Amino acid sequence: LWALDDAGLERLARALSPAGLARAVDELRADLADDPIAARELAARDPFGMRWILSADARWRELGFATDTELLLRDDRRRALVQLRGTTDAFDADYATALTDHVDRVLATAPLAGAEVFGGYTVARADQRRIRADFERASFWALVGIAAYLCWAMRGVRLPLLMQLPATLSIVWAIPAGSLVFGALPTVAVAAVAVLCGLGVDFAIHYAARYRAARLTSSHRDAVRLVQRTTVPELVIDMATTAVTFLAIGASGAGGLRAFVALSAFGLAGSLAFTVFALPVLLRWAGERRDPERSVLASAADRWLSRPAARPLAVGVLAAAVVGAGWVAT
């Protein structure tokens, strides 16, 4: 009866009441008078007209039950309904996945033609798989969206794509490293990929911007040496503060949260390392440019700053931000 909703349960109660049973007997007698052969088969298999229960849920059909005329299996194969119940909270996604995977392995070796497993644990595993697929799609579109935005903002294709390589390499490195430490990564840890897509490319943006500015008056080797000496220490401080924040969050969490923050910290460190050691080599293919690197957004900002209304509007925006922060805090 687990497949019935409240309306179905009320209908069943009415059917099993004395008046409902009397009505079913009268209908069966009328059927016997009209077609004795067919009605006899119906009387033997479903005397009180309960076939509608099996048609209330499509999963009965998947199990092999015929829902149109009889209460018998379509064949002699053995099938089962399995409800998973326990004292551990189904919100523990790791436990729910381990439990349902174990049940699947046991059922695969059982002499059954099929089984329908239901309960809170199976719902938790299905939700986990759905969320994981959502995170994977979000990570893919994050890479595509960031690449398109950088190409538009920087008025080019080659340099923006080169800047994304360190972040991409850090993701390729961080996922196996995280799996080696934590085993199979939980669903929430997959979200770190989307985070690294945005944070990891930040180091390369700063590095490439300083490089292109130095490249206007220096050779590639001298420009790289200058950026390594002046910009890399700033990037190390930036990475360290963000990574420490992630690790502090993970120290107070457990399970999937700890794996998420650790994977994010690993990825940030890898992104900085690839930016410092690999990006200088990649910038050899960035192409030559004689004018200063001014993006579309930077050029628009320069034009706007020269207007008289720029300062009052900036003060108004800052005041609105302070008021908004106070409202959110209260």
Coordinates of all heavy atoms in Angstrom, one line a residue, residues 283-328:
L283 N 53.2 32.5 -22.0 CA 53.1 33.8 -22.5 C 54.0 34.1 -23.7 O 53.8 35.2 -24.4 CB 53.4 34.8 -21.4 CG 52.4 34.9 -20.3 CD1 52.9 35.8 -19.1 CD2 51.1 35.4 -20.8
R284 N 54.9 33.2 -24.0 CA 55.7 33.4 -25.3 C 54.8 33.4 -26.5 O 55.1 33.9 -27.5 CB 56.7 32.3 -25.4 CG 57.9 32.5 -24.4 CD 58.9 31.4 -24.7 NE 60.1 31.6 -23.9 CZ 61.2 32.4 -24.3 NH1 61.1 33.1 -25.4 NH2 62.2 32.6 -23.5
W285 N 53.6 32.7 -26.4 CA 52.7 32.6 -27.5 C 51.5 33.6 -27.4 O 50.5 33.4 -28.0 CB 52.1 31.1 -27.6 CG 53.2 30.2 -28.0 CD1 53.5 29.8 -29.3 CD2 54.0 29.4 -27.2 NE1 54.5 28.9 -29.3 CE2 54.8 28.6 -28.0 CE3 54.1 29.2 -25.8 CZ2 55.7 27.7 -27.5 CZ3 55.0 28.3 -25.3 CH2 55.8 27.6 -26.1
A286 N 51.6 34.5 -26.5 CA 50.6 35.5 -26.3 C 50.5 36.5 -27.4 O 49.5 37.2 -27.6 CB 50.7 36.2 -25.0
G287 N 51.5 36.6 -28.2 CA 51.6 37.6 -29.3 C 52.1 38.9 -28.9 O 52.1 39.3 -27.7
E288 N 52.5 39.7 -29.9 CA 53.1 41.0 -29.6 C 52.0 42.1 -29.6 O 51.0 42.0 -30.4 CB 54.1 41.4 -30.6 CG 55.3 40.4 -30.6 CD 56.2 40.5 -29.4 OE1 56.1 41.6 -28.7 OE2 56.8 39.6 -29.0
R289 N 52.1 43.1 -28.8 CA 51.1 44.2 -28.7 C 51.9 45.5 -28.4 O 52.6 45.6 -27.4 CB 50.1 43.9 -27.7 CG 48.9 44.9 -27.8 CD 47.7 44.4 -27.0 NE 46.6 45.2 -27.3 CZ 45.3 44.8 -27.2 NH1 45.1 43.5 -26.9 NH2 44.3 45.6 -27.4
R290 N 51.7 46.5 -29.2 CA 52.4 47.7 -29.1 C 51.7 48.7 -28.2 O 52.3 49.6 -27.6 CB 52.7 48.3 -30.5 CG 53.6 47.5 -31.3 CD 53.8 48.1 -32.7 NE 54.6 47.3 -33.5 CZ 55.0 47.6 -34.8 NH1 54.6 48.7 -35.3 NH2 55.8 46.8 -35.5
D291 N 50.4 48.7 -28.1 CA 49.7 49.6 -27.3 C 49.4 49.0 -25.9 O 49.5 47.8 -25.7 CB 48.3 50.0 -27.9 CG 47.4 48.8 -28.1 OD1 48.0 47.7 -28.5 OD2 46.2 48.8 -27.8
P292 N 49.2 49.8 -24.8 CA 49.0 49.3 -23.5 C 47.8 48.4 -23.5 O 46.8 48.6 -24.2 CB 48.8 50.6 -22.6 CG 49.5 51.6 -23.4 CD 49.3 51.3 -24.9
E293 N 47.8 47.5 -22.6 CA 46.7 46.5 -22.4 C 45.5 47.2 -21.8 O 45.5 47.4 -20.5 CB 47.1 45.3 -21.6 CG 46.0 44.3 -21.4 CD 45.7 43.5 -22.7 OE1 46.6 43.4 -23.6 OE2 44.5 43.1 -22.9
R294 N 44.5 47.6 -22.5 CA 43.3 48.3 -22.0 C 42.1 47.5 -22.4 O 41.8 47.5 -23.6 CB 43.2 49.8 -22.4 CG 44.4 50.6 -22.0 CD 44.6 50.6 -20.5 NE 43.5 51.3 -19.9 CZ 43.4 51.3 -18.5 NH1 44.1 50.5 -17.8 NH2 42.4 52.0 -18.0
S295 N 41.4 47.0 -21.5 CA 40.2 46.2 -21.9 C 39.1 47.1 -22.2 O 39.1 48.4 -21.9 CB 39.8 45.3 -20.7 OG 39.4 46.0 -19.6
V296 N 38.0 46.6 -22.7 CA 36.8 47.4 -23.0 C 36.3 48.0 -21.7 O 35.9 49.2 -21.6 CB 35.7 46.5 -23.6 CG1 34.4 47.2 -23.8 CG2 36.2 45.9 -25.0
L297 N 36.3 47.2 -20.6 CA 35.8 47.8 -19.3 C 36.7 48.9 -18.8 O 36.2 49.9 -18.3 CB 35.6 46.6 -18.3 CG 34.6 45.5 -18.7 CD1 34.6 44.5 -17.6 CD2 33.3 46.1 -18.9
A298 N 38.0 48.7 -18.9 CA 38.9 49.7 -18.4 C 38.8 51.0 -19.2 O 38.8 52.1 -18.6 CB 40.3 49.1 -18.4
S299 N 38.7 50.9 -20.5 CA 38.5 52.1 -21.3 C 37.2 52.8 -21.0 O 37.2 54.0 -20.9 CB 38.5 51.7 -22.8 OG 39.8 51.0 -23.1
A300 N 36.1 52.1 -20.8 CA 34.9 52.7 -20.4 C 35.0 53.4 -19.1 O 34.5 54.5 -18.8 CB 33.8 51.7 -20.4
A301 N 35.7 52.8 -18.1 CA 35.9 53.4 -16.8 C 36.7 54.7 -16.9 O 36.4 55.6 -16.2 CB 36.6 52.4 -15.9
D302 N 37.7 54.7 -17.8 CA 38.6 55.9 -17.9 C 37.7 57.0 -18.5 O 37.8 58.2 -18.0 CB 39.7 55.6 -18.9 CG 40.7 54.7 -18.3 OD1 40.7 54.5 -17.1 OD2 41.5 54.0 -19.1
R303 N 36.8 56.8 -19.4 CA 36.0 57.8 -20.0 C 35.0 58.3 -18.9 O 34.7 59.5 -18.8 CB 35.3 57.3 -21.2 CG 36.2 57.1 -22.4 CD 35.3 56.9 -23.7 NE 34.5 55.7 -23.6 CZ 34.8 54.5 -24.0 NH1 36.0 54.3 -24.4 NH2 34.0 53.5 -23.9
W304 N 34.5 57.4 -18.1 CA 33.5 57.8 -17.1 C 34.1 58.6 -16.0 O 33.6 59.6 -15.5 CB 32.8 56.6 -16.5 CG 32.0 56.8 -15.3 CD1 32.3 56.5 -14.0 CD2 30.8 57.6 -15.2 NE1 31.4 56.9 -13.2 CE2 30.4 57.6 -13.9 CE3 30.0 58.2 -16.2 CZ2 29.3 58.2 -13.4 CZ3 28.8 58.8 -15.7 CH2 28.5 58.8 -14.4
L305 N 35.4 58.3 -15.6 CA 36.0 59.0 -14.5 C 36.3 60.4 -14.8 O 36.5 61.3 -13.9 CB 37.3 58.3 -14.1 CG 37.2 56.9 -13.4 CD1 38.5 56.2 -13.2 CD2 36.4 57.0 -12.1
S306 N 36.4 60.8 -16.1 CA 36.7 62.2 -16.4 C 35.4 63.1 -16.3 O 35.6 64.3 -16.5 CB 37.2 62.2 -17.8 OG 36.3 61.7 -18.8
R307 N 34.3 62.5 -16.1 CA 33.1 63.3 -16.0 C 32.8 63.9 -14.6 O 33.2 63.3 -13.6 CB 31.9 62.5 -16.4 CG 31.9 61.9 -17.9 CD 30.7 61.2 -18.2 NE 30.8 60.7 -19.6 CZ 29.8 60.0 -20.2 NH1 28.6 59.8 -19.6 NH2 29.9 59.7 -21.5
P308 N 32.2 65.0 -14.5 CA 32.0 65.7 -13.2 C 31.1 64.8 -12.3 O 31.2 64.9 -11.1 CB 31.3 67.0 -13.6 CG 31.7 67.3 -15.0 CD 31.8 65.9 -15.6
A309 N 30.2 64.1 -12.9 CA 29.2 63.3 -12.0 C 29.9 62.0 -11.4 O 29.2 61.3 -10.6 CB 28.0 62.9 -12.8
A310 N 31.1 61.7 -11.8 CA 31.7 60.4 -11.4 C 31.8 60.4 -9.9 O 31.5 59.4 -9.2 CB 33.0 60.2 -12.1
R311 N 32.4 61.5 -9.3 CA 32.7 61.4 -7.8 C 31.4 61.4 -7.0 O 31.3 60.6 -6.1 CB 33.6 62.6 -7.4 CG 34.0 62.6 -6.0 CD 34.8 63.8 -5.7 NE 36.1 63.8 -6.4 CZ 37.2 63.1 -5.9 NH1 37.1 62.5 -4.8 NH2 38.3 63.1 -6.6
P312 N 30.4 62.3 -7.3 CA 29.2 62.2 -6.5 C 28.5 60.8 -6.6 O 27.9 60.3 -5.6 CB 28.3 63.3 -7.0 CG 29.3 64.3 -7.6 CD 30.4 63.4 -8.2
L313 N 28.5 60.3 -7.8 CA 27.9 59.0 -7.9 C 28.6 57.9 -7.2 O 28.0 57.0 -6.6 CB 27.8 58.6 -9.4 CG 27.1 57.3 -9.8 CD1 25.7 57.3 -9.3 CD2 27.2 57.0 -11.3
A314 N 29.9 58.0 -7.2 CA 30.7 57.0 -6.4 C 30.4 57.1 -4.9 O 30.2 56.1 -4.2 CB 32.2 57.2 -6.7
V315 N 30.3 58.3 -4.4 CA 30.0 58.5 -3.0 C 28.6 58.0 -2.7 O 28.3 57.3 -1.7 CB 30.1 60.0 -2.6 CG1 29.6 60.2 -1.2 CG2 31.5 60.5 -2.8
G316 N 27.6 58.2 -3.6 CA 26.3 57.7 -3.4 C 26.2 56.2 -3.4 O 25.5 55.6 -2.6
V317 N 27.0 55.5 -4.3 CA 27.0 54.1 -4.3 C 27.6 53.5 -3.1 O 27.1 52.5 -2.5 CB 27.8 53.6 -5.6 CG1 28.1 52.1 -5.5 CG2 27.1 54.0 -6.9
L318 N 28.7 54.1 -2.6 CA 29.3 53.6 -1.3 C 28.3 53.8 -0.1 O 28.2 52.9 0.7 CB 30.6 54.4 -1.0 CG 31.8 54.1 -2.0 CD1 33.0 55.0 -1.7 CD2 32.2 52.6 -1.9
A319 N 27.6 54.9 -0.1 CA 26.7 55.1 1.0 C 25.5 54.1 0.9 O 25.1 53.6 1.9 CB 26.1 56.6 0.9
A320 N 25.1 53.8 -0.3 CA 24.0 52.8 -0.5 C 24.5 51.4 0.0 O 23.8 50.6 0.6 CB 23.6 52.8 -1.9
A321 N 25.8 51.1 -0.3 CA 26.4 49.9 0.1 C 26.4 49.7 1.6 O 26.1 48.7 2.2 CB 27.8 49.7 -0.5
V322 N 26.8 50.8 2.3 CA 26.8 50.8 3.7 C 25.5 50.6 4.3 O 25.3 49.8 5.3 CB 27.5 52.1 4.3 CG1 27.4 52.2 5.8 CG2 28.9 52.2 3.9
V323 N 24.5 51.3 3.8 CA 23.1 51.2 4.3 C 22.6 49.7 4.0 O 22.0 49.1 4.9 CB 22.2 52.2 3.6 CG1 20.7 51.9 3.9 CG2 22.6 53.6 4.0
G324 N 22.9 49.2 2.8 CA 22.5 47.8 2.5 C 23.1 46.8 3.5 O 22.5 45.9 3.9
A325 N 24.4 47.0 3.8 CA 25.1 46.1 4.7 C 24.5 46.2 6.1 O 24.3 45.1 6.8 CB 26.6 46.4 4.7
G326 N 24.2 47.4 6.5 CA 23.5 47.5 7.8 C 22.2 46.8 7.9 O 21.8 46.2 8.9
W327 N 21.4 47.0 6.8 CA 20.1 46.3 6.7 C 20.2 44.8 6.8 O 19.5 44.1 7.5 CB 19.4 46.8 5.5 CG 18.0 46.2 5.3 CD1 16.9 46.6 6.0 CD2 17.7 45.1 4.5 NE1 15.8 45.8 5.6 CE2 16.3 44.8 4.7 CE3 18.4 44.3 3.6 CZ2 15.6 43.8 4.0 CZ3 17.7 43.2 3.0 CH2 16.4 43.0 3.2
V328 N 21.2 44.3 6.0 CA 21.4 42.8 6.0 C 21.8 42.4 7.4 O 21.4 41.3 7.9 CB 22.4 42.4 5.0 CG1 22.8 41.0 5.1 CG2 21.9 42.7 3.5

